[in-house]
Amino acid sequence: TAAFGGSVLTGVADARERAAVLTVGADARVEAVQALPSGLAGRIGRVPGVRDVTALSVFPYAQPEGGRLAVPVAGVDPAGYAALTRHTGVGAFPADALKSSGGKDLAALASPAVADRYGTRPFLVRLDDGGIVTVRITAVRERTPAVAGEEFLVVDRSGLPGESARPTALLVTGDPADAGALREAAGGGARVQLRTERFAEYVDSPLQSGAERVYTAAVAAGAGFAVLSLLLTLLRAAPERAALLARLRTMGLTRAQGRRLLVLESLPQALLAAAGGTVTAWAAIRLLSPGIDLTTVAVSASASPAGRAALRTDPVSLLVPALAVVAVTVGTAAAQAWWTGRRGSVRELRAGDAR
């Protein structure tokens, strides 16, 4: 129960973290409807805690030739953006994928839906500001940090015409110590989103907080019953163990040897119980995972930007209860040996004979 509840809570936290990263695109995002001031990237980079700033030219309503639907286009600096994708773990790709092989066609990174629609042939794209570029899809990724949706095109920003190459968004990596300082550096004309703030927004729903309390209570109750059962079992056998230890001490067994004896005696069943519980929890999670959807518990939005949040096996949730069983068993045996060593052997033998 503790392992299952822990895996649920871990899966919820992971889904929220990934949804926040996909929504923001990095640790922070600074964007505006119009082009950003030329010196803004430098000011943002000097904010304490900021490690790197990646400039983007985002066109949310670009219109491909022959297509009925708009496709967001993001112009990026290939090297810096490739490093950003590796940092976030979202749609990582080599920078060479956006290098054009010659001619006027821009190499493009596309989502699967866009790639299926336009294939690998060159096609024209009209940008929001009226600029026109010819792109050719050379790589496909499910997601990309620059655009939160499931349809996108990513091209080399240096290949965009004229004013189209001016950045309209900045993706910030690092941990800004002061969100106010970041917003002050961005100015009033830019919108600032923080991954941590977006993450916090996903825990406002009463359904989420209630479900988390239920799973937390299940973890606590399961752990409590397991510890109680273990302690009652050990305490029931405590008098017999104390009498046995007293007899062995009359034959020359030292107190240190007695402590080691009780600890080693308790280890086999504790290790077997820990291994059996771990395997059982792992099998239960794997079997129940296809039928349990944590999306509603993880995020408050009706559609998660990270897709379906599924239950998964978590090494920490599996190992911590198992190690706790071994620790409680060994600790109880050591405490019993210490307490027995303080009492006289004659008293323990008499108590054993009386029974």
Side-chain angles (χ1 to χ4, degrees), residues 2-339:
F4 180 82
S7 296
V8 170
L9 296 178
T10 302
V12 168
D14 290 346
R16 287 175 177 168
E17 181 67 26
R18 181 166 176 80
V21 171
L22 288 174
T23 301
V24 178
D27 297 316
R29 186 186 188 102
V30 180
E31 61 184 350
V33 177
Q34 303 296 329
L36 296 172
S38 57
L40 181 58
R43 294 201 303 269
I44 295 295
R46 289 190 293 270
V47 174
V50 173
R51 291 196 303 268
D52 195 12
V53 179
T54 304
L56 310 173
S57 299
V58 181
F59 305 94
Y61 304 108
Q63 188 68 45
E65 181 185 29
R68 298 181 178 179
L69 300 177
V71 175
V73 174
V76 304
D77 299 319
Y81 189 70
L84 174 68
T85 60
R86 291 191 297 269
H87 171 74
T88 60
V90 179
F93 71 98
D96 294 343
L98 294 184
K99 286 187 178 180
S100 301
S101 58
K104 298 181 179 180
D105 301 342
L106 292 180
L109 175 75
S111 64
V114 176
D116 291 341
R117 194 179 307 156
Y118 297 100
T120 57
R121 62 177 178 83
F123 58 96
L124 295 177
V125 178
R126 182 180 297 275
L127 305 178
D128 297 15
D129 60 358
I132 298 177
V133 294
T134 303
V135 303
R136 180 173 53 84
I137 297 174
T138 58
V140 178
R141 294 295 185 273
E142 293 284 344
R143 299 278 184 171
T144 195
V147 180
E150 297 182 354
E151 293 195 358
F152 55 83
L153 286 168
V154 179
V155 298
D156 187 349
R157 189 162 61 94
S158 63
L160 297 178
E163 293 295 317
S164 300
R166 295 185 60 183
T168 60
L170 301 174
L171 294 183
V172 181
T173 57
D175 186 15
D178 187 358
L182 185 64
R183 289 189 166 90
E184 182 179 354
R191 177 192 179 196
V192 177
Q193 297 183 74
L194 295 179
R195 174 184 53 81
T196 53
E197 293 178 352
R198 179 64 66 174
F199 180 87
E201 291 176 1
Y202 291 132
V203 298
D204 294 337
S205 169
L207 172 64
Q208 295 168 309
S209 57
E212 286 186 357
R213 292 192 185 98
V214 169
Y215 284 118
T216 302
V219 172
F225 279 120
V227 171
L228 179 62
S229 175
L230 181 61
L231 290 177
L232 290 177
T233 301
L234 293 176
L235 289 176
R236 182 178 179 277
E240 290 81 2
R241 286 185 176 182
L244 175 62
L245 199 60
R247 294 189 183 96
L248 292 176
R249 282 207 304 271
T250 61
M251 293 185 286
L253 188 73
T254 65
R255 291 184 178 181
Q257 290 173 336
R259 286 193 295 269
R260 288 196 295 269
L261 177 63
L262 288 186
V263 170
L264 292 175
E265 181 190 16
S266 64
L267 273 179
Q269 59 264 36
L271 293 176
L272 287 175
T278 301
V279 173
T280 302
W282 177 84
I285 293 171
R286 293 296 299 270
L287 291 174
L288 295 175
S289 177
I292 297 178
D293 188 359
L294 301 177
T295 305
T296 306
V297 179
V299 295
S300 56
S302 57
S304 168
R308 181 178 180 270
L311 180 67
R312 64 175 181 82
T313 55
D314 176 38
V316 175
S317 299
L318 293 176
L319 293 178
V320 167
L323 295 177
V325 170
V326 176
V328 171
T329 303
V330 172
T332 304
Q336 180 184 353
W338 172 80
W339 178 256

Side-chain angles (χ1 to χ4, degrees), residues 336-354:
Q336 180 184 353
W338 172 80
W339 178 256
T340 304
R342 296 184 57 186
R343 306 176 66 180
S345 301
V346 176
R347 180 179 179 181
E348 292 296 340
L349 289 174
R350 287 177 179 176
D353 291 341

